[in-house]
Amino acid sequence: MTSLDHPRLSGLGRNPAAPVDVLVRLAAHAAGRHGMSMRRGRLADAVVEALLTHGDDDTAVSLHGDRLSPAMRRRIAEHPDPAIRDAYADFVRYTVDRQVTIGIEALEEAHGRPRTALVGAPSPKLRAAVARDWYDRPAAVQAALLADPDPLVRAAATVGKEPGVPPEWRDRCLADPAMRVNVARYVPLTSDQFTQLMRTEDEEVYQAVATNPHLSADMVARLLDIDDPAVRVAVAQSRHVDTETRNRLYALVEAERADGSIEAWVALNWNFTEPDWLREAPLDERMTYLDCQQTIFRRVLASCRDLPEEAWRRLDNDPDLMVRRAAARRPDAPPDVLEQLVRAHGDVFHIRPLLVEHPNFPRHTLRTLVDEPSPNVRYVALQDPELPVTALQQLAAAEDAFLRRGVARHPNITDALLERLLADPSPEVADDAGANPALRPARMYRILAEAGL
């Protein structure tokens, strides 16, 4: 049985307005406990006691840190069942064992030791976790990790560009197979270092070097003939490549993709590097990329903030939607440009701030989006916290469950609409309706009674 078998109970467990006695009763049901595991803020002692009474070690995983009062932290630390007592620490150790990032604070809490002590822990997996999760570690700690006897730790210490590799460490790191690929991506390379990396004839090394933003024109020239789609795309983004060469490289990769090459498809579609250097180039040089065949250059150009009006006019009408969205994020984007973009294509909710949160967006037009044909555009109307009830009713009748979910979360929802959505055939909709703080306590108690709690 999952939490979505009883979605209203799971949602009620998340509901920030649920009274303590409601949560205590919910603790007797697995769906209620699941919902409470996702609550934010501190849990009342009575709720923690109920969770300990009815739950198990899976429940106890979420009972740690600031979610508990000092008394409840002592209660769990002294619990007679080691599975309960060590639930959170065991979970953290599980993530460490599988090399999953969890955060340095979690490592400290689970092990009861400061990060400075964990750097010297006996377990190489734990030391590697510290290297992954302690982003702002001091130089002395970084040096210790770079010199660690275990290759797993050294590799973890060099994944990110920060805190980086000091110049005096670069030769050693580039010579170490555990660190070579990571470091080759971002440290400035001397001619000798570059030559040594090319002699490895290692595909991963080539790909890493090709994305290095510090390459000289001579280095880039030596990468031109490497028959690898990822290398070609990376080289094509270099500041040292002319337009003709750039177009030729992209054309080669496009042809490989057309022939069914998975590597070429990945190079073109899952390449997360950008020609960041373009943002710092002189304005005259940047303007030459307004007509660039490769969308990524126009998208980077659109992220600049000092372009002339003619450039913005062209970028606002670019054939690529991502370019137009990037341009619309400039501080002085016209209201009509913002509205037309959202009205035609909706918004991108995983990128903040939203376009509708732009200071120039005409917020009064949000409610008019309810009548647009695209469900993705209608969904944006829910960003109006005072959306009229008639509009909410219209969206609640939509065939698309994500629209009904948006209504279920809306602050202006009525009791009647909540009642309707609590019974929605989509478990996710009913879950969100149960989590809406507008749900009245009387209805919460009826939900509990209907579930026999």
Side-chain angles (χ1 to χ4, degrees), residues 116-429:
T116 50
L118 294 177
V119 172
S123 166
K125 285 188 175 181
L126 180 53
R127 299 197 305 274
V130 173
R132 285 192 301 272
D133 294 337
W134 188 2
Y135 304 117
D136 57 349
R137 54 188 178 270
V141 172
Q142 176 69 343
L145 293 169
L146 294 175
D148 194 280
D150 194 286
L152 183 69
V153 180
R154 300 196 302 276
T158 52
V159 168
K161 296 179 182 179
E162 300 298 336
V165 176
E168 65 271 19
W169 278 88
R170 289 174 186 167
D171 281 331
R172 176 174 174 176
C173 291
L174 290 168
D176 186 341
M179 298 186 279
R180 179 183 296 140
V181 170
N182 289 340
V183 176
R185 289 191 179 100
Y186 55 80
V187 300
L189 300 172
T190 65
S191 179
D192 287 343
Q193 289 168 340
F194 176 84
T195 299
Q196 290 299 321
L197 290 171
M198 298 303 290
R199 286 175 179 165
T200 64
E201 299 185 355
D202 184 304
E203 180 182 273
E204 279 192 280
V205 172
Y206 287 166
Q207 293 174 356
V209 171
T211 62
N212 190 307
H214 305 291
L215 300 183
S216 67
D218 288 342
M219 294 174 184
V220 171
R222 291 174 63 181
L223 291 168
L224 285 174
D225 296 325
I226 293 181
D227 186 12
D228 182 301
V231 172
R232 282 176 171 152
V233 170
V235 171
Q237 292 185 8
S238 169
R239 72 176 72 218
H240 302 300
V241 170
D242 59 38
T243 301
E244 181 181 350
T245 303
R246 178 176 296 115
N247 291 343
R248 177 179 64 81
L249 291 171
Y250 269 102
L252 287 171
V253 181
E254 289 282 6
E256 290 181 82
R257 179 175 65 173
D259 288 340
S261 167
I262 298 298
E263 291 79 7
W265 186 92
V266 169
L268 291 168
N269 294 280
W270 285 88
N271 175 29
F272 299 109
T273 61
E274 292 185 340
D276 294 323
W277 57 266
L278 185 57
R279 296 186 179 92
E280 307 301 324
L283 180 60
D284 288 347
E285 180 182 354
R286 279 182 281 151
M287 291 292 286
T288 65
Y289 287 87
L290 274 171
D291 295 314
C292 184
Q293 292 182 20
Q294 290 75 41
T295 302
I296 183 62
F297 285 86
R298 304 196 309 276
R299 189 158 71 238
V300 170
L301 181 62
S303 69
C304 299
R305 295 293 178 260
D306 60 343
L307 304 181
E309 188 58 36
E310 171 60 17
W312 290 127
R313 187 189 65 78
R314 292 172 62 180
L315 291 168
D316 286 335
N317 291 280
D318 192 275
D320 185 84
L321 175 59
M322 294 303 293
V323 173
R324 300 199 299 275
R325 281 179 166 152
R329 293 184 179 278
R330 64 189 185 273
D332 59 347
D336 62 313
V337 168
L338 291 161
E339 181 186 354
Q340 289 169 13
L341 191 55
V342 170
R343 193 174 292 278
H345 303 286
D347 214 334
V348 182
F349 284 84
H350 65 277
I351 299 178
R352 297 286 175 166
L354 302 177
L355 289 179
V356 297
E357 294 170 338
H358 192 292
N360 292 349
F361 187 88
R363 299 278 300 181
H364 66 277
T365 65
L366 281 173
R367 58 192 60 188
T368 67
L369 301 178
V370 171
D371 297 317
E372 292 293 331
S374 167
N376 291 323
V377 176
R378 296 203 300 276
Y379 183 80
V380 181
L382 293 162
Q383 292 298 305
D384 181 352
E386 298 178 352
L387 196 64
V389 172
T390 52
L392 291 172
Q393 290 170 333
Q394 182 177 335
L395 295 175
E399 181 180 347
D400 304 277
F402 75 91
L403 283 173
R404 304 198 303 277
R405 287 191 72 182
V407 177
R409 295 190 292 266
H410 200 273
N412 207 33
I413 195 167
T414 63
D415 292 346
L417 269 180
L418 264 179
E419 190 65 34
R420 173 176 162 186
L421 295 174
L422 283 167
D424 194 275
S426 167
E428 290 83 2
V429 176

Side-chain angles (χ1 to χ4, degrees), residues 64 88-89 91-93 95-96 101-113 115 118 133:
H64 66 92
Y88 180 67
F91 169 74
V92 173
R93 293 187 187 101
T95 64
V96 167
T101 296
I102 192 171
I104 190 64
E105 293 82 5
L107 296 177
E108 290 179 315
E109 181 178 352
H111 291 87
R113 301 173 66 193
R115 61 195 71 183
L118 294 177
D133 294 337

